[in-house]
């Protein structure tokens, strides 16, 4: 997908904010295209893992020098759940 073209078309139609809800493949593609400004992450009190466990980004991943660096904007606790809002550092 040509994300630059897609975002240009949406901007031409007056769309200024986009919420991307999807899996790790969509997230990885948007990170690679530099199109994620804000992240909302939820931490549940359940330990789930292993080599086949999903992660926020799929595919090859990102080495530290090109991985998105985030700044914590807000935290909220509801019961034992944590809601985190980060902004991508440009």
């Amino acid at each position: 997908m040509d994300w630059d073209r897609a975002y240009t078309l949406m901007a031409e139609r007056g769309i200024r904010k986009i919420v991307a809800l999807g899996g790790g493949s969509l997230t990885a593609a948007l990170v690679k295209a530099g199109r994620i400004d804000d992240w909302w992450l939820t931490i549940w009190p359940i330990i789930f893992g292993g080599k086949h466990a999903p992660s926020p980004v799929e595919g090859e991943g990102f080495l530290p020098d090109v991985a998105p660096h985030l700044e914590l904007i807000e935290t909220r606790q509801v019961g034992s759940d944590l809601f985190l809002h980060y902004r991508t550092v440009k």
Side-chain angles (χ1 to χ4, degrees):
M1 160 123 342
D2 182 346
W3 290 109
D4 289 334
R5 179 76 178 128
Y7 273 71
T8 298
L9 290 171
M10 288 184 272
E12 288 172 357
R13 289 164 175 75
I15 299 170
R16 301 286 177 242
K17 291 187 179 187
I18 298 164
V19 175
L21 301 174
S25 295
L26 174 62
T27 304
L30 292 172
V31 168
K32 188 174 181 179
R35 292 297 183 169
I36 297 181
D37 296 322
D38 288 276
W39 298 74
W40 283 267
L41 305 173
T42 303
I43 299 176
W44 291 301
I46 299 170
I47 302 299
F48 179 72
K51 66 181 180 179
H52 298 293
S55 75
V57 293
E58 292 178 0
E60 296 179 22
F62 301 95
L63 295 174
D65 59 331
V66 295
H69 293 257
L70 309 177
E71 174 187 11
L72 183 62
I73 303 298
E74 174 187 8
T75 62
R76 190 169 14 126
Q77 180 177 351
V78 177
S80 294
D81 300 340
L82 292 177
F83 298 89
L84 309 172
H85 175 197
Y86 287 93
R87 182 155 296 130
T88 302
V89 176
K90 301 279 181 176

